[in-house]
Amino acid sequence: MIFNSIGFAVFLPIIFILYWICPAKYRYLFLLAASFYFYMQTDRRYIFLLLSTAALSYFLALALQSANSLPGNGECEKRKIRMLKKIYLLAGILLLTGCLVIFKYLDFFFEAAGLASPVIQLMLPVGISFYTFQTLGYLIDIYRGKYPAERHFGYYCLFVSFFPQLLSGPIGRGDILLPQFKKSRSFDPSQASYGMKLMAVGYFKKLVVAELLAPSVNNIYDHPADYIGLVFPIATIMFAIQIYCDFSGYTDIAIGCAKLFGIDLQENFKSPYFSRSIREFWSRWHISLSTWFRDYVYIPLGGSRKGAFRHCLNLVLTFLVSGLWHGAGIHYIVWGAVHGIYQILEICVRPKKQRGFFSLLFTFFEVCFAWVFFRANTLQDAWFILSRSLYGIGDFSNYLKNAVISLDMSYSYMIYLCIPILVLAAYDYVSLKTDVIAHISSYKPWVRYPVYIVFLLVILLFSEKGVATEFYYFQF
């Protein structure tokens, strides 16, 4: 089941009503059953894998908690306790990442080693990268003694499988989510109203913007040999907008959906294309993942504490791992490496304070350049696209004309595409300083309700009909 399907349109209202009718002490069980049903409608083959991941991390966390409470009077006892904790943590990391490697990277590693891949025909379980990282972060937090391990298996299962965030995040933290599941709450109409409005914004991003751009991007990037010149930079900019609208749209729907049940999820995007540096971009893009890598990879490697060389090395290593997390392909690793190099260049060359439109435009150009490696099907395709992007630029009028012909769009359709993009850009820009949804909600009914109606009509009229395409990050 995906958010933009008829099944979800039926599922959500039913679950919402039954949840608030259900006695408070059983709501977590109802929400847990709904989450399992939701996942099984998406990928019923791997529900056992999801349950196994939850059970494994639950018992290892309890073991870590027990080790934390062991008496250690002497130095020898303390060393034994530390060693025991490391064994538990290492077992968790190996077992959880082992499942991820088998399902996601096995073929890639065999191919990289020049060996014949074993014929096991495993399909990538939906959401495995996200719930694996969520459980890994939880185990590491328990190991560090950040908060006590959850002893109630039902609440913990809900933490791992909560359906709004299960398939593509945001990646939750135990100390933020678990207390919310336990909290006794009454229905808050204002929170539910805000959640529905945020979901509408998410659907606008996905159905109106991302879906309109996807066909052109797919045609060009899936058949690069058929194109040349300016069409590649245009397609890359279109992809930059597409992937942002697709993924941030999913996040808006997930966060808004969770609010219907009184749960607050972590903010995951904050107008990233208005960043004036790559560092700022990563503080606004996929925030739950970037902070995960910061807390559980970059800082444990030493962060910026061990000299300039180690600092740069740690940055590159962190982004290499980030690239590999996104997909089993060399081009994803190169994408991560490019962003790591960007970070080093900013430390060494660019001033700390970035101001003005030029910094914003330059950062967007850097991000788009890296997106070429991310979107290309292979590294060879990425090099081909980059090498042919400036072909014919000497005759700029023909350079532009050939791009328009290659896109196979009328000028009226181009304007049609630009309108929702400009609306979204205005929304993101204003969002930097104010909560747009809350601000519109503060107006009198005769002002705000026409705005809501027009917005819903735009989604209904401009979105693709009868099509329920998966969100882009489902493949990761």
Side-chain angles (χ1 to χ4, degrees), residues 3 91 122 127 134 143-144 239 256 259 314 319 329 351 367 397:
F3 287 162
L122 290 175
Q134 184 155 313
Y143 171 80
R144 293 172 175 174
F239 175 69
K259 285 184 179 297
N314 292 339
F319 277 97
V367 172
S397 61

Side-chain angles (χ1 to χ4, degrees), residues 212-213 216 231 234 238 400-422:
L212 285 175
L213 295 174
S216 297
V231 70
I234 293 173
M238 292 171 71
L400 180 60
K401 181 180 178 181
N402 290 334
V404 174
I405 294 172
S406 297
L407 287 170
D408 194 24
M409 296 179 187
S410 64
Y411 287 107
S412 59
Y413 187 74
M414 289 182 184
I415 295 172
Y416 172 82
L417 279 179
C418 288
I419 291 173
I421 295 172
L422 291 174

